[in-house]
Amino acid sequence: MTPALSVRNLRIEIPTRRGVLTAIDDLSFDIAPGEVLGMVGESGAGKSITGSAVIGLLEPPGRVAGGEIHLAGERIDHLPPERMRHIRGKRIGMIFQDPLTSLNPLYRIGDQLVETIMTHQRMTTAEARDKAQRLLEEVGIPAAKTRLSSYPHQFSGGMRQRVVIALALAADPELVIADEPTTALDVSVQAQIIALLKRLCAERGAAVMLITHDMGVIAETADRVCVLYAGRLAELGPVRDVVKHPQHPYTIGLMSAIPSLTGDPDEALAQIPGSMPRLGAIPAGCAFNPRCGYRFDPCTVERPPPYDAGAGEAACFLHAPAFARQAPAETLRQADAAGIQLSIPNGEAAR
Amino acid sequence: MSDVTSQETNRSAPGAFRRMRDSDLWYSFTRSPLAMLSALVVLIFVLAALFAPLIAPHDPFDPGSISILDSFLPPAWEDGGDARFLLGTDDQGRDVLSTILFGMRISLAVGFASVVFAMLLGITLGLVAGYFGGWVDSVIMRIADVQLTFPAILIALLINGVARAMAGPQSYDKVVFVVLVLSIGLSFWVQYGRTVRGSVLVEANKEYVLAARLIGLGPWTIMFKHVLPNVLGPVLVIATINLALAIITEATLSFLGVGVPPTQPSLGTLIRIGNDFLFSGEWWITIFPGITLAILALTVNLLGDWLRDALNPKLR
Amino acid sequence: MSMQGLAVANETGVERKTLVEVEGLRRVFDLSKPWLNRMIEREGRVFLTAVDGVDFSIRQGETYALVGESGSGKSTIAKMAVGLLPPSAGSIAIDGADVWGKKSPEAERRMRRKIQMIFQDPFASLNPRWRVGSIIAEPIKAFGLIDDPLDRAARVGELLSLVGLDPRDGQKFPHEFSGGQRQRIAIARALASEPNFIVCDEPTSALDVSVQAQVLNLLRDLQERLGLTYLFISHNLAVVRHVATRVGVLYLGRLVEEAPARELFAAPQHPYTKMLLEAVPDIEMEGKDRQSIAGEIPNPITPPAGCHFHPRCPVRRPECDVETPPPHRVGDATVRCHLFGSAS
């Protein structure tokens, strides 16, 4: 089956006065129709900029410097702005963190929905209005008919985000990009929005690229996860595997650093030393190597490409048999204990 | 990621200088030919004004060196021109080039002084209004609103008139400089006041100000040590643009005859003097000071525009 | 985790003296438009009760966490506790001294020195134009702790090492640091006046997870080493569970449940606390569905009558709409809910 979105060897550069920064370096992933792919990473890891690149709205001077982006088999990264504008909204829906930025405060909700529907679909105003009302009902807004003539400020935060979801789905897109859709909302409302987004996209068979820093949201929503670190892929795999049995040292550290409602609260949280490098100061070799407890020789020299690891892939030399054999036995033992599924036979690891 | 650093000339320099050279502002400046050209012109003008007594070919205020016989000489390249007087002479036989150089001194001095005065007044009132809020804020800002409904030149004329009446005709010449600075400064403070107040409202709620309040620092300490340095950016832009305005306002006042007296002419006074002879053919007496004023105002304005763009990250 | 284990932990805890005592705390904001607008638009005055009669106390060396969503009044309480915002009613006493009571300038200084705050946004809490060293030295200077510049610089270096930074970092400007490092600087500044009570207002909510763990561990480590007492404000229950000794749950300005942390997380009593706990994303992937909670937080200007939570409450009773529930003791917890009224 053709993936709804296919990103191949994407490279995004930001030229600045101090040199060219590589915001995304050699990133590849697919999203199948009806699938939710979670994009996680710390701030500055490049998750949002990837979303912007896909919808062709990279903020200048950022630019796609390499790689390809395909939407349902059609290449879209080199389309002229005019064509891209048509694809946005119709074939790709967008949901942002702050619902207020997606809604025009001066227009009624109904008019904004009708306008979006009619730009992308041949319909009479009356039909579009009917559809707008159906959409509002679908996203769970009570008294949808009367609410059509309300202004954005008359809605609560959660209700606004529901309207934004309705707007994003108005033209039945193949792909929905949701950038931190729940970050601005209260905990008690987050669950409602997540459930809604997941249900509606599943019903329509739309693929979702869910960008968030919140592993909890990913664990509940995504089918697969893509973990980014300093603009590079760290790990990609089915959500259950990545959350329960992470294969990249960074993901392992990330998962154990999250405070949870189980476990001993008196024990100090596991922490990753240091912080993510700035784009201008990414170390040679693996970007994570200065903070990594399993670092060995090749890590500081060569950049690891994604290797098969467990049920997914991880950009770590521990998963490359040729390299892993060079690692000290102690490192391998520790990695094994941390749940990293080494690709070399156990006997060799023990040596 | 090759070829990263720009062509830096790694001179060993003190910290402050190095920071200036590494700053975004300097970078933006070196990338803007118009800004650099404007800065160069302004610099030349300011230097010429500062060193007018050394540069000027004649001393236009020394009665001994002026001869009425030299009056109304056209510029040197015109028929009847005299090589001694490059831009010609005026009705009293004073060298136009020299009067322009000395006139610029007055114009720039009044301009700078009134901008500084307006800035001090506006920043203080803006800080007070923004930081204390309440009725203090209301009173200051309503006064500002009322003043904004009148053109600045009208306010300046009014203040000027009042001061003139109070000082009397004899002593007026002695205080004219102060009166001009006060009247122009008072008519321009509103912009600073409003801008500073707006920035203070934003900054005062930032957590670093709360942290300063937490250790018991007084409001004035917080205002001047913490808030002020963070609101100076926009003030600088207004000050630059206002410098041009202040120079023009001074020229206007002098042109209208309420500015500096002809014995100590500013550019505006020179234009007024020359204006009387414009239609009798002696165009150089008014045109050259006029051109000088125009170039000065234009370049300062361009500099202000660049500064505004450079300091506003949205436009960068 | 067995219930016996809990009881033992409680018993073995050393009885410590109470450091912070908050009583009947209340704060009302006047949101009315200016007089002239009210006259012309024929509108009345508008008041927002951000904090409505909150009592709690914190024992020396413990961490008291206030949990709540937006509009719960948790940040308002924080500001009143450190003396940035005067309460409309009620009192806050720290080490016996009323934070808002009249006192001599000397006593005022002595009290302020003992209270510090760590803010949410490390990008806004450090003056961008000051060097880090000056930022940390400012409280030392303001309270006149060390007069000699060299000794002061040495102390700043000491504080920087204490929070895990290089003493030489004092020469740099805040923009040269990452968010986590900036929060460390903010902590160093808070420690500079040698306080014993620190209010942490969402100190990690602007940070990334891996950095959040560093800062939480640092706060805990400092508490043990310096015997600090924390008031910890957060909306994140999982974070609170890792730092708190006691927890107060706020809803629209009222403390709906208050209990020792272990008890609160093991057996939440108030329907709102239960709801909050169920809303925490299931990172363990045990397959439990996040309980979808009905409704949103009402506008705090016009909160529902009776128990503020009643419109969203799954177990509401007729009296909930009209009567504000009084506090009820349930085990070690204090719960404001009519459910427990009949039981007692």
Side-chain angles (χ1 to χ4, degrees), chain A residues 80-92:
Chain A
E82 197 54 41
R83 292 274 311 280
M84 206 54 216
R85 197 176 317 152
H86 188 71
I87 287 180
R88 274 197 305 268
K90 169 143 184 60
R91 298 183 60 193
I92 307 178

Side-chain angles (χ1 to χ4, degrees), chain A residues 185-200:
Chain A
L185 304 175
D186 277 313
V187 198
S188 60
V189 185
Q190 278 183 9
Q192 304 168 11
I193 298 297
I194 288 286
L196 177 74
L197 182 65
K198 199 173 171 177
R199 178 171 59 82
L200 291 180

Side-chain angles (χ1 to χ4, degrees), chain B:
Chain B
M1 235 207 285
S2 56
D3 148 277
V4 172
T5 36
S6 51
Q7 53 285 345
E8 277 187 56
T9 47
N10 246 334
R11 267 174 298 164
S12 59
F17 179 70
R18 183 174 225 108
R19 273 174 55 213
M20 198 272 286
R21 204 163 46 84
D22 285 347
S23 70
D24 289 336
L25 203 60
W26 182 251
Y27 177 80
S28 150
F29 182 70
T30 54
R31 295 299 151 110
S32 167
L34 198 59
M36 287 197 287
L37 183 72
S38 303
L40 183 73
V41 172
V42 172
L43 188 71
I44 290 173
F45 275 35
V46 169
L47 287 179
L50 266 181
F51 297 108
L54 304 178
I55 310 170
H58 304 271
D59 182 355
F61 306 118
D62 176 15
S65 73
I66 306 173
S67 164
I68 197 77
L69 296 174
D70 293 331
S71 61
F72 296 123
L73 285 176
W77 59 85
E78 293 271 319
D79 280 347
D82 188 320
R84 284 181 299 146
F85 307 106
L86 183 64
L87 300 180
T89 59
D90 65 3
D91 54 333
Q92 297 170 38
R94 296 186 296 196
D95 175 35
V96 169
L97 176 63
S98 302
T99 53
I100 287 175
L101 287 174
F102 278 91
M104 258 189 343
R105 267 167 92 95
I106 309 275
S107 289
L108 281 169
V110 172
F112 273 119
S114 48
V115 163
V116 168
F117 174 63
M119 213 158 78
L120 291 179
L121 189 68
I123 287 175
T124 312
L125 290 176
L127 274 175
V128 169
Y131 194 83
F132 289 111
W135 66 268
V136 183
D137 180 29
S138 297
V139 168
I140 294 175
M141 284 303 119
R142 285 308 81 75
I143 293 175
D145 286 346
V146 170
Q147 192 176 325
L148 265 193
T149 59
F150 297 98
I153 187 81
L154 216 61
I155 309 269
L157 272 171
L158 178 77
I159 299 167
N160 202 288
V162 172
R164 192 175 285 255
M166 276 161 57
Q170 286 80 29
S171 53
Y172 179 71
D173 280 4
K174 292 183 197 118
V175 294
V176 63
F177 186 83
V178 178
V179 168
L180 271 178
V181 169
L182 282 182
S183 55
I184 298 173
L186 275 175
S187 58
F188 279 126
W189 74 269
V190 175
Q191 253 187 307
Y192 300 95
R194 289 191 146 198
T195 311
V196 169
R197 174 181 173 269
S199 310
V200 168
L201 287 181
V202 176
E203 294 294 324
N205 281 317
K206 287 216 178 137
E207 292 167 345
Y208 71 87
V209 175
L210 296 185
R213 278 175 58 195
L214 215 57
I215 55 174
L217 296 186
W220 294 99
T221 319
I222 293 177
M223 266 194 273
F224 284 97
K225 272 177 77 182
H226 283 280
V227 179
L228 184 59
N230 285 297
V231 302
L232 275 184
V235 168
L236 211 63
V237 175
I238 301 176
T240 318
I241 293 173
N242 262 357
L243 178 61
L245 266 176
I247 292 171
I248 292 175
T249 307
E250 183 277 326
T252 312
L253 289 177
S254 296
F255 183 82
L256 294 174
V258 293
V260 291
T263 47
Q264 289 274 320
S266 73
L267 288 178
T269 323
L270 292 177
I271 296 170
R272 176 166 66 96
I273 298 169
N275 192 38
D276 297 339
F277 310 102
L278 190 57
F279 294 105
S280 54
E282 287 87 15
W283 51 270
W284 56 89
I285 308 178
T286 192
I287 291 293
F288 289 120
I291 290 174
T292 313
L293 180 69
I295 293 175
L296 189 62
L298 180 69
T299 48
V300 171
N301 246 330
L302 287 173
L303 217 51
D305 278 353
W306 159 77
L307 195 64
R308 187 193 53 210
D309 295 351
L311 286 179
N312 185 350
K314 283 225 173 98
L315 292 170
R316 218 185 315 173

Side-chain angles (χ1 to χ4, degrees), chain A residues 89-159:
Chain A
K90 169 143 184 60
R91 298 183 60 193
I92 307 178
M94 291 165 289
I95 301 164
F96 296 110
Q97 174 174 346
D98 182 3
L100 278 180
T101 55
S102 322
L103 297 171
N104 187 331
L106 300 176
Y107 286 90
R108 294 170 202 277
I109 296 295
D111 296 344
Q112 298 191 42
L113 276 165
V114 166
E115 193 196 345
T116 311
I117 294 168
M118 289 182 67
T119 334
H120 300 293
Q121 283 168 318
R122 251 171 239 275
M123 268 192 190
T124 65
T125 316
E127 283 169 343
R129 244 190 135 65
D130 269 357
K131 180 162 185 186
Q133 190 188 327
R134 275 205 313 280
L135 275 167
L136 280 194
E137 280 162 7
E138 261 192 280
V139 296
I141 289 182
K145 200 180 171 88
T146 50
R147 293 303 257 168
L148 277 175
S149 46
S150 305
Y151 289 93
H153 70 88
Q154 294 168 305
F155 286 79
S156 67
M159 286 297 158

